[in-house]
Amino acid sequence: MTSSPSGRRAPRGSLSAAATRRVERPAPLRQAVYDALLELIVNRTLAPGQHLVEAELAEYLGVSRQPVREALQRLQTDGWVDLRPAQGAFVHTPTEEEADQLLAVRSVLETYSAKLAAEHATASDVKLLKKLQKAGEEALVTANVERLVKANADLHAAVAAIGRNKVLSEMIGLVDRRVRWYYTPIARPRSRDSWNEHAELVAAIADGDAERAGEVMHNHAEQTRQTYHDRKTPEGSTESD
Amino acid sequence: MTSSPSGRRAPRGSLSAAATRRVERPAPLRQAVYDALLELIVNRTLAPGQHLVEAELAEYLGVSRQPVREALQRLQTDGWVDLRPAQGAFVHTPTEEEADQLLAVRSVLETYSAKLAAEHATASDVKLLKKLQKAGEEALVTANVERLVKANADLHAAVAAIGRNKVLSEMIGLVDRRVRWYYTPIARPRSRDSWNEHAELVAAIADGDAERAGEVMHNHAEQTRQTYHDRKTPEGSTESD
DNA sequence: GAAGTGCTTTTTGCATACCAAAAGCTGTAT
DNA sequence: ATACAGCTTTTGGTATGCAAAAAGCACTTC
């Protein structure tokens, strides 16, 4: 029972190099499961409407039902799956209405975020933004959709972080991820305009012009919303990848 | 998909009077536990910082650990408790910074909500608002804090509902509840002003004046925020502004 | 007496097993 | 075929066990 001298925990006393990192997190399994399932949902491996059976997921992921259940419940509160009372989890099927509402909320949150960013941005913040902007424009020329989407997400996240409002950042993170899920399949043609607007946004933030930053972001978000609407009624084409 | 006209919705018996009620919900236990714990937190039975032991809560509530765990995890994602990796749940301790951030987010969400309400309000919507306004003013004369808080919450929720944006409503619900948790203990002196502003808001919505409704709501929220700040600086404070 | 040390206890996190109830499916009798 | 009955699958919850981590305690040592 009390075997081995395995109790050689890190020295409690003079921490010495302890400052570097907090050792290793036990890495809560449910979090890993959550990430895995979210990935599967976002990349359409698990299709909207699909029934997710706990036991299957558990076996597939090599864990027991418990962490799967907990992950599914969190996925529900974040809007990725629907938990029907006695039937289990189904991948959420986004409706047009819901997408529009999400885009609207995103618009107001991001607009505020841009204002805050303009008010708080330091020189190094601006530097980071310009770096991200450049990365985005490079992705633009390679026409790599995945990279573009990521660059876009990174820039928006950076703006939110600069605003120094964690509550806001977190919300934007949640909303944006879902919006991106809906929007990604049709994101192609707007990229160029989008990054021009980003450039304008970065400039406004660099100038510390909150009013203008907010305005630019608002227009940016509304453009996206408009694009979504224009695009959504061609024919039910499932263009995946 | 579900639009198949055949509607094979299991007609087990010809429904008879089934239309009235959806039978009885199986009543998901974790939800009941969630509600119970939230109530205990909000009314300060469980104090901020307190360590919540799964087994204790389970016994206290007469359920097993599992639903308690699930409730605690949802309480975490909603910001009511902190789940420390290997130590369990602690009632969240709100910081001044966080409260302010929450108030700021609430402000922008509510402002948008008011605009939407003004755009969408029907005659019966306005009627409801006026009813709630009246209820609030009655609570005002009785000086019953609890009733006042509830009336306030009801009115804001009604405005959000009128806006017809579910995503927004839900978010406002989450944010407002937390704000109220922080704010309730100091809600006294502003009630009168607050309800005057509510009256103005209702009037603007009734007129369908989105611009004005948004403005009124914005001022209303910012006033609340200001009150919160004024109140929490009794003596020489370290204002980081 | 103070400080550092190991040991025990507590609690979480996950696995496993089991069961009742509900929803879905299937097969059979009429 | 249709309606009914029974079977199967799946959830939601209980109970239990256990490894690992944190906290608390007691004990030794200086």
Side-chain angles (χ1 to χ4, degrees), chain A residues 41-52:
Chain A
I41 291 173
V42 169
N43 71 20
R44 306 287 206 278
T45 303
L46 301 176
Q50 183 172 343
H51 186 192
L52 303 181

Side-chain angles (χ1 to χ4, degrees), chain B residues 96 229-241:
Chain B
E96 295 300 334
H229 278 149
D230 294 349
R231 152 71 204 221
K232 68 127 187 167
T233 48
E235 53 253 280
S237 65
T238 56
E239 198 98 7
S240 58
D241 252 59

Side-chain angles (χ1 to χ4, degrees), chain B residues 30-236:
Chain B
R30 59 203 141 146
Q31 179 64 41
V33 172
Y34 176 92
D35 292 338
L37 291 181
L38 182 51
E39 173 63 22
L40 291 176
I41 291 173
V42 169
N43 71 19
R44 307 288 208 277
T45 302
L46 301 176
Q50 185 171 340
H51 187 193
L52 304 180
V53 178
E54 290 178 5
E56 283 177 17
L57 297 177
E59 194 183 9
Y60 174 63
L61 296 171
V63 300
S64 71
R65 271 176 67 198
Q66 178 129 329
V68 172
R69 285 177 61 90
E70 294 172 351
L72 285 175
Q73 285 171 30
R74 216 183 117 209
L75 284 169
Q76 179 186 37
T77 72
D78 290 349
W80 297 100
V81 308
D82 299 316
L83 238 47
R84 307 232 281 274
Q87 303 178 48
F90 296 77
V91 179
H92 181 68
T93 302
T95 66
E96 295 300 334
E97 186 189 17
E98 187 194 345
D100 186 58
Q101 293 181 356
L102 225 29
L103 283 162
V105 169
R106 188 182 89 125
S107 177
V108 302
L109 290 179
E110 292 268 24
T111 297
Y112 180 56
S113 168
K115 283 190 199 168
L116 283 185
E119 287 167 6
H120 290 85
T122 67
S124 67
D125 287 335
V126 171
K127 206 170 149 194
L128 171 63
L129 288 183
K130 289 191 170 160
K131 197 182 115 203
L132 291 173
Q133 170 73 18
K134 201 172 154 207
E137 288 177 358
E138 282 169 9
L140 196 56
V141 298
T142 71
N144 179 333
V145 175
E146 203 168 324
R147 261 184 71 193
L148 262 172
V149 170
K150 180 173 184 334
N152 186 56
D154 287 347
L155 191 133
H156 280 263
V159 171
I162 291 170
R164 307 284 194 280
N165 183 323
K166 279 195 177 179
V167 176
L168 180 64
S169 291
E170 215 172 293
M171 267 189 195
I172 288 181
L174 284 180
V175 173
D176 268 19
R177 262 203 299 189
R178 282 179 66 192
V179 165
R180 230 173 296 131
W181 186 39
Y182 306 155
Y183 188 73
T184 297
I186 63 168
R188 8 120 252 176
R190 209 177 106 58
S191 316
R192 164 88 36 203
D193 290 342
S194 183
W195 283 95
N196 289 342
E197 288 156 19
H198 284 165
E200 236 187 303
L201 173 67
V202 172
I205 292 174
D207 288 349
D209 188 340
E211 209 49 53
R212 176 151 173 69
E215 206 179 308
V216 170
M217 182 66 102
H218 181 75
N219 291 337
H220 176 59
E222 289 299 327
Q223 276 295 328
T224 301
R225 195 176 169 191
Q226 196 56 52
T227 303
Y228 187 83
H229 278 149
D230 294 349
R231 152 71 204 221
K232 68 127 187 167
T233 48
E235 53 253 280

Side-chain angles (χ1 to χ4, degrees), chain A residues 2 7 27-31 62-67 70 86-87:
Chain A
T2 59
L29 196 44
R30 60 201 141 147
Q31 179 63 42
V63 299
S64 75
R65 271 176 67 198
Q66 177 133 333
E70 294 173 351
Q87 302 178 48

Side-chain angles (χ1 to χ4, degrees), chain A residues 15-222:
Chain A
L15 46 116
S16 54
T20 43
R21 249 305 180 224
R22 226 173 214 79
V23 206
E24 267 281 321
R25 283 282 152 179
L29 196 44
R30 60 201 141 147
Q31 179 63 42
V33 172
Y34 175 92
D35 293 338
L37 292 181
L38 182 50
E39 173 63 21
L40 291 175
I41 291 173
V42 169
N43 71 20
R44 306 287 206 278
T45 303
L46 301 176
Q50 183 172 343
H51 186 192
L52 303 181
V53 178
E54 289 178 5
E56 283 176 17
L57 298 177
E59 194 183 11
Y60 175 63
L61 297 171
V63 299
S64 75
R65 271 176 67 198
Q66 177 133 333
V68 171
R69 291 184 56 162
E70 294 173 351
L72 285 175
Q73 285 172 28
R74 215 183 117 209
L75 284 169
Q76 179 187 37
T77 72
D78 291 349
W80 296 99
V81 308
D82 299 316
L83 241 45
R84 306 233 280 274
Q87 302 178 48
F90 297 78
V91 179
H92 182 68
T93 302
T95 66
E96 295 300 333
E97 187 188 17
E98 187 194 345
D100 187 58
Q101 294 181 354
L102 225 28
L103 283 162
V105 170
R106 187 182 90 124
S107 177
V108 302
L109 289 180
E110 292 268 23
T111 298
Y112 180 57
S113 168
K115 283 189 197 167
L116 282 185
E119 288 167 6
H120 289 87
T122 66
S124 67
D125 287 335
V126 172
K127 207 170 148 193
L128 170 64
L129 288 183
K130 288 192 170 162
K131 198 182 112 202
L132 291 174
Q133 171 70 19
K134 202 174 154 205
E137 289 178 358
E138 281 169 10
L140 195 56
V141 297
T142 70
N144 180 333
V145 175
E146 202 167 325
R147 261 184 72 192
L148 262 173
V149 170
K150 180 174 184 332
N152 186 56
D154 287 346
L155 190 134
H156 280 262
V159 171
I162 291 170
R164 309 281 194 282
N165 185 324
K166 278 194 176 181
V167 176
L168 180 65
S169 291
E170 215 171 292
M171 268 190 194
I172 288 181
L174 285 179
V175 173
D176 268 20
R177 263 204 298 190
R178 282 180 65 192
V179 165
R180 228 172 297 132
W181 186 40
Y182 306 155
Y183 187 73
T184 297
I186 63 168
R188 298 152 300 159
R190 210 178 102 61
S191 316
R192 163 103 21 216
D193 289 342
S194 183
W195 284 95
N196 289 342
E197 289 156 19
H198 284 165
E200 236 187 305
L201 173 67
V202 171
I205 292 174
D207 288 349
D209 188 339
E211 209 48 53
R212 177 153 171 67
E215 205 178 307
V216 170
M217 182 67 102
H218 181 76
N219 291 337
H220 177 59
E222 288 301 326

